[in-house]
Amino acid sequence: MGGRVVKYGMRWKAIGKWSITALLALALPAVASYGNASFPISGSSAAYAAEPAPTAALSDIRGHWGRDTIEWAVSQRIVDGFADGTFKPDKTVSEAEYLTMLLRAYVGNTIAEQGPNALWYAKYYAFAAEMRWPVDPSRADAPYKRGQVARLLAASQGQGLDVDASVRYLLDNGLAQGRTSGGTTADFGADETLTRAEAVQFVRNMKGKAQYVTGLPAPARTFAVRGVSLGDSAASVQSKLGAPARVDPSEYGFVWHIYNQDYSNYAQVGIQDGKVVGLYTNSADWTSALAGIGAGATSAEVVKAAGKPLDSIKKGSTRYMLNSPGKEDGVYEIDDGYVTFYYDTHVNNTLEAIQIIAKSAEEAKKDYYGSASDELRVAFEKEVFDLANAARAKRGLKPFQWDDTVAGTARKHSEDMAKSGYFDHTSPAGLELKDRFKADGISYSMGAENIAAGQPNAISAHSGWLNSTTGHRKNLLGETTRLGVGVYFGGSMRVYYTQNFYTPRK
């Protein structure tokens, strides 16, 4: 997301935060004569015993209404007794403890661990997240209510219901009973907390009636890029798109899976915690459930279908104003995501690209620029190159060839601008592009340069260049054959981008 900017000479100020953006382009003339986890006993994880746990030692279940079921659950290794030889059948159960019992009953100890430092219940919540069950690790230690049990058990049978409907579903299908013989939802005691004995009884009821557990269907999403939507699992992405060409860090903290194997079908898929949290493409291979919005639609058609774009995004106590909403781009809040439509202002304001960022990812990014790193710099350089080639492929043009030497030239210019406090193609020492090419031994028949500063990512910088009326677009879509990109973090404008284009002299 960008911030609204108010121009003061070459400086731009964002409401609430500093954001500076600028673009400059330069083309060199052609040279003469040349053309163009396990359930814990006492708060920590314990491995399964080699033999079923003995129940005779459980001193506090004799005469208890749940004795038979407790002995069944312990013998099935669904739950364990405590180290002091008790079961504590009337002790309150937490959400994490009940989720663990349910999953032990159905999948045993087959769920993959989440890492050596993960909490004992992490793997169970990871499994539940894949199934889209209504549990939350932030409630792991909270006492679990009978109504919450009902929602979880209904969800495990593919029913995404509220508490009342979940209770009715369990009662109607013999998956649970009320606390008395009445068999009504009111009799169920949805707001009462769950005991250990009740917990294993719920599990036994389920095992007696339901052979398996399943997940809830994915919510219908308005947008999909190459069949992928926000919230999809990383595994499903790979099954649809295959392995990415590379994985890049992002300023959001998630990683972009880059699919550049075919520039005419270029896509970036943002992945965090095994889920899709970001999407971008400039190809036509995306779909929308909004009538009138699709590849080739104009900004006017988008507004007609989706309404006026947002003019700001609020994060905590700061409101970020968006720059010229609806002109070069329009941002909308749809399906728990921020959707940005990028337009080509040179071709009737038609849709050039679409980006979707999950609200959770966008709102977690407190700094406009994210955290600078050498890995992020390299990612921006490669993405600027890919985006240029994707734009060329879209228009039937040949892709640029990456050139390491000229990328070094570009990188040095970005660094010089940041450290010397200027933004121009000519340095304070009077050095121009042709001088930089000469110093690096680049022999060219054609050469050009685009520079930008202040944009928070490669997509934003590329979009600005493509819509420019001062030469950037011409350089992007021109006849040069090689491209190198250099990015530098620092200086008054926070981040500087340089594209150097050239055709080798024959």
Side-chain angles (χ1 to χ4, degrees):
M1 296 299 147
R4 179 181 177 182
V5 286
V6 182
K7 189 175 182 183
Y8 299 99
M10 289 306 296
R11 297 182 65 81
W12 302 64
K13 188 176 182 181
I15 309 302
K17 296 254 185 176
W18 279 96
S19 164
I20 27 192
T21 61
L23 304 169
L24 280 178
L26 174 69
L28 291 174
V31 174
S33 76
Y34 290 95
N36 299 319
S38 148
F39 186 67
I41 292 175
S42 56
S44 61
S45 182
Y48 280 109
E51 299 294 335
T55 59
L58 299 177
S59 61
D60 58 349
I61 66 171
R62 297 189 187 98
H64 193 278
W65 66 263
R67 175 177 179 173
D68 182 62
T69 295
I70 292 168
E71 291 178 340
W72 167 83
V74 172
S75 69
Q76 296 296 310
R77 305 178 187 177
I78 293 169
V79 66
D80 301 313
F82 289 85
D84 63 359
T86 64
F87 186 78
K88 296 180 175 53
D90 299 320
K91 184 178 183 293
T92 300
V93 170
S94 69
E95 180 179 274
E97 290 170 337
Y98 186 76
L99 176 62
T100 300
M101 292 182 196
L102 180 64
L103 288 176
R104 276 189 167 189
Y106 279 95
V107 298
N109 200 30
T110 62
I111 303 174
E113 300 290 348
Q114 294 296 294
N117 298 317
L119 294 169
W120 66 266
Y121 52 72
K123 66 179 184 177
Y124 300 107
Y125 276 99
F127 184 97
E130 286 287 330
M131 307 292 267
R132 297 185 173 87
W133 289 350
V135 293
D136 187 334
S138 68
R139 302 193 305 259
D141 297 324
Y144 210 37
K145 294 182 178 181
R146 291 167 61 88
Q148 293 173 303
V149 174
R151 285 196 67 206
L152 174 57
L153 296 182
S156 76
Q157 301 304 300
Q159 305 296 312
L161 307 173
D162 63 19
V163 170
D164 287 343
S166 295
V167 170
R168 186 75 266 164
Y169 175 81
L170 297 190
L171 295 175
D172 289 346
N173 288 276
L175 298 172
Q177 298 175 348
R179 281 196 154 173
T180 69
S181 59
T184 66
T185 55
D187 168 69
F188 188 82
D191 290 329
E192 298 180 32
T193 54
L194 189 71
T195 68
R196 282 166 59 83
E198 290 172 330
V200 293
Q201 188 65 60
F202 272 122
V203 173
R204 191 175 193 180
N205 290 345
M206 284 291 293
K207 286 289 287 183
K209 296 284 187 176
Q211 295 181 359
Y212 59 88
V213 291
T214 188
L216 292 174
R221 295 289 184 175
T222 303
F223 299 97
V225 172
R226 294 179 63 177
V228 176
S229 297
L230 288 187
D232 287 356
S233 69
S236 72
V237 174
Q238 188 144 336
S239 70
K240 293 174 182 177
L241 306 184
R246 68 172 189 273
V247 176
D248 289 349
S250 78
E251 76 279 13
Y252 289 97
F254 62 70
V255 294
W256 283 116
H257 287 207
I258 306 297
Y259 290 89
N260 65 1
Q261 297 90 334
D262 176 5
Y263 278 124
S264 65
N265 208 15
Y266 181 77
Q268 297 183 200
V269 181
I271 302 292
Q272 187 171 44
D273 297 328
K275 298 289 185 182
V276 176
V277 294
L279 293 162
Y280 172 89
T281 190
N282 74 328
S283 77
D285 194 0
W286 61 276
T287 58
S288 168
L290 293 177
I293 296 182
T298 65
S299 60
E301 290 170 331
V302 171
V303 170
K304 183 178 179 180
K308 292 183 179 180
L310 298 176
D311 60 9
S312 66
I313 292 176
K314 188 176 181 181
K315 300 184 184 183
S317 61
T318 302
R319 184 172 294 279
Y320 292 80
M321 307 306 292
L322 301 175
N323 185 38
S324 302
K327 294 185 179 180
E328 291 187 8
D329 57 61
V331 181
Y332 294 83
E333 185 178 338
I334 302 172
D335 286 352
D336 290 325
Y338 289 110
V339 182
T340 303
F341 298 105
Y342 292 97
Y343 303 116
D344 186 342
T345 58
H346 292 261
V347 186
N348 196 34
N349 290 324
T350 55
L351 273 174
E352 171 68 18
I354 182 173
Q355 175 185 269
I356 310 167
I357 302 294
K359 284 184 67 178
S360 58
E362 179 62 47
E363 294 174 359
K365 184 169 75 78
K366 302 305 183 184
D367 187 278
Y368 184 70
Y369 296 95
S371 298
S373 66
D374 195 52
E375 293 78 13
L376 186 60
R377 172 190 63 78
V378 171
F380 282 180
E381 291 176 350
K382 291 178 178 179
E383 288 165 22
V384 166
F385 176 78
D386 285 338
L387 291 163
N389 279 339
R392 291 175 69 84
K394 188 171 185 174
R395 293 160 177 84
L397 302 173
K398 291 183 178 180
F400 291 118
Q401 178 181 337
W402 175 267
D403 190 288
D404 280 329
T405 301
V406 82
T409 306
R411 198 172 296 120
K412 285 184 287 187
H413 187 56
S414 290
E415 181 177 1
D416 188 50
M417 288 191 292
K419 290 183 174 179
S420 300
Y422 72 98
F423 181 71
D424 207 306
H425 296 289
T426 303
S427 73
L431 297 177
E432 299 178 347
L433 178 59
K434 61 182 180 181
D435 302 311
R436 295 191 286 275
F437 275 12
K438 183 178 180 180
D440 289 337
I442 298 170
S443 178
Y444 64 93
S445 61
M446 296 177 66
E449 180 175 84
N450 285 344
I451 59 175
Q455 292 78 6
N457 52 47
I459 292 172
S460 180
H462 168 78
S463 178
W465 283 326
L466 193 64
N467 279 309
S468 170
T469 59
T470 56
H472 306 87
R473 182 185 180 95
K474 183 178 180 180
N475 291 341
L476 276 171
L477 305 179
E479 297 178 7
T480 53
T481 60
R482 297 191 181 186
L483 172 61
V485 182
V487 173
Y488 186 82
F489 292 112
S492 62
M493 301 177 86
R494 297 288 299 270
V495 57
Y496 292 76
Y497 305 81
T498 300
Q499 287 181 312
N500 281 164
F501 311 82
Y502 81 105
T503 299
R505 186 172 181 173
K506 296 179 182 179

